[in-house]
Amino acid sequence: MLKNRNLINADDFNVDEINEILNLAEEIIKRPSDFSNLCNGKILGTLFFEPSTRTRLSFESAIHRLGGDCIGFSESASSSTSKGESLADTIRTVSNYTDIIAMRNPKEGSAVLASSYSEVPLINAGDGGHQHPTQTLTDLLTIWMTKKRLDNMTIGLCGDLKFGRTVHSLIKAMSRYNNNKFVLISPEELQVPDYIKIFLKSKNIEFKEVEKMEDVIGELDVLYMTRVQKERFFNEADYVRLKDSYILDNNKMKLATEDLAVLHPLPRVNEIATEVDSDPRAVYFKQVRYGVIVRMALILKLLGVR
Ligand code: CP
């Protein structure tokens, strides 16, 4: 039962519940007009204390496409946080104005704190380097719609695997489906945190860490590219040295199989050359569309409308 639940971590929902959301998303893709009035009278609050294009606008698009409304702010400077209001008081207040809240905040753990003060379902739209579970739902729907399966795959993740919260959540999510294995492509300084490796080992899930994309791209069913997360670096010089570690271009795509799917949570900086955008294996702009659909499905489930 997903009604009135919060979504804070990618593994808050079990596999059956995730599949329920993906199945509803597929229904929405097939018959969007059946869903266009289901949230009449419902209000979504979008509380974004950190910049966003896709997550905030896709939530807003999702509630509008369901016939609901949206209120919120896109930076803490335009909220009373700038006057010293606590997160607890902001959430207590906004849950009187809304039926459901999506919040992004740079502080890790802020989403779980906020959920403890919220009277309405709270969705974590990103809490620092910790979790971004609706991006994970987006990634799962994209893989499902592209490959027609979520199991028996070799999944490459490339770039900033240390700070990329979407990487950590996707590894955990795909680990729940049978016989997936991971190829972790990063410079040594940007390898996945130890807790992810410990997690994979504890589940006996096959993975390897490599530095060169060219050595492994031909083995992959899915390649998940990520940008180097400038905002999480303490030192500008380290960011500049590492930011162009990987650039996926048409020459590297020639080494991949015909049915590779290239995903990227976006925003992109330099890590995928624009020449790759017209390759049918590049699905990152379809992924943007699936981000709206899966958030529509999530809102319906948490509100108990479907
Ligand atoms: N993928 C993603 O979270 O993008 P935004 O930062 O633009 O929301």
Side-chain angles (χ1 to χ4, degrees):
M1 186 72 170
L2 290 167
K3 187 177 175 183
N4 291 332
R5 298 258 298 272
N6 301 307
L7 176 59
I8 309 299
N9 296 302
D11 48 10
D12 282 352
F13 298 164
N14 64 35
V15 171
D16 288 342
E17 290 165 340
I18 299 273
N19 292 344
E20 219 183 288
I21 293 169
L22 300 182
N23 289 338
L24 180 56
E26 218 178 333
E27 274 188 58
I28 297 170
I29 291 168
K30 286 182 193 148
R31 295 183 309 281
S33 59
D34 286 3
F35 298 85
S36 58
N37 293 313
L38 293 186
C39 282
N40 275 355
K42 300 288 185 194
I43 299 177
L44 166 76
T46 51
L47 311 188
F48 277 66
F49 297 89
E50 198 184 48
S52 166
T53 297
R54 274 147 294 273
T55 311
R56 184 171 67 83
L57 296 181
S58 64
F59 266 115
E60 294 184 3
S61 174
I63 192 74
H64 285 300
R65 286 172 191 274
L66 293 167
D69 283 312
C70 180
I71 57 173
F73 51 81
S74 58
E75 51 177 0
S76 51
S78 60
S79 76
S80 287
T81 306
S82 60
K83 301 176 205 160
E85 184 170 62
S86 68
L87 181 60
D89 286 0
T90 302
I91 295 294
R92 277 192 186 114
T93 302
V94 176
S95 52
N96 284 285
Y97 304 153
T98 58
D99 299 288
I100 185 165
I101 293 173
M103 183 190 86
R104 175 173 287 187
N105 190 296
K107 293 200 181 108
E108 298 183 11
S110 55
V112 74
L113 176 79
S115 68
S116 68
Y117 291 99
S118 183
E119 300 288 331
V120 299
L122 189 130
I123 302 168
N124 180 8
D127 60 339
H130 180 226
Q131 290 268 334
H132 188 356
T134 60
Q135 182 63 49
T136 308
L137 290 175
T138 302
D139 301 339
L140 292 178
L141 181 63
T142 307
I143 296 170
W144 170 248
M145 295 302 293
T146 310
K147 310 292 286 186
K148 297 295 170 210
R149 68 185 198 277
L150 290 171
D151 52 11
N152 293 301
M153 274 189 286
T154 302
I155 301 147
L157 299 108
C158 177
D160 184 349
L161 308 189
K162 179 178 180 183
F163 294 115
R165 58 193 172 195
T166 62
V167 167
H168 309 155
S169 304
L170 185 61
I171 291 173
K172 286 188 132 186
M174 290 302 285
S175 296
R176 299 161 98 185
Y177 295 88
N178 288 336
N179 202 29
N180 286 326
K181 51 190 179 191
F182 299 95
V183 181
L184 307 173
I185 310 159
S186 73
E188 202 177 338
E189 292 108 310
L190 296 179
Q191 284 182 352
V192 289
D194 284 344
Y195 83 89
I196 294 286
K197 294 182 216 175
I198 291 166
F199 166 81
L200 290 170
K201 283 178 191 158
S202 74
K203 303 262 174 211
N204 284 322
I205 294 169
E206 197 180 322
F207 73 95
K208 63 180 174 184
E209 295 182 283
V210 298
E211 287 205 28
K212 270 191 87 178
M213 186 200 291
E214 295 88 322
D215 291 346
V216 292
I217 192 169
E219 303 168 20
L220 306 177
D221 298 298
V222 171
L223 173 58
Y224 193 85
M225 294 296 296
T226 62
R227 81 187 158 95
V228 175
Q229 305 255 321
K230 183 178 184 184
E231 65 276 29
R232 316 259 179 245
F233 274 76
F234 293 113
N235 179 333
E236 172 87 15
D238 284 345
Y239 169 71
V240 170
R241 182 169 52 81
L242 293 167
K243 72 183 172 64
D244 292 328
S245 298
Y246 301 99
I247 299 178
L248 181 65
D249 58 15
N250 281 346
N251 280 333
K252 293 195 185 84
M253 288 297 282
K254 283 184 192 147
L255 304 172
T257 62
E258 281 301 299
D259 61 354
L260 175 73
V262 180
L263 280 72
H264 190 311
L266 304 177
R268 152 174 69 182
V269 186
N270 285 326
E271 57 283 350
I272 303 180
T274 52
E275 66 186 15
V276 178
D277 296 356
S278 53
D279 188 309
R281 294 170 291 180
V283 296
Y284 33 89
F285 287 110
K286 282 187 188 161
Q287 193 178 351
V288 169
R289 177 165 171 265
Y290 292 137
V292 179
I293 307 284
V294 89
R295 288 179 176 102
M296 290 169 74
L298 177 66
I299 290 168
L300 289 171
K301 288 286 176 188
L302 299 187
L303 290 177
V305 178
R306 280 289 291 256

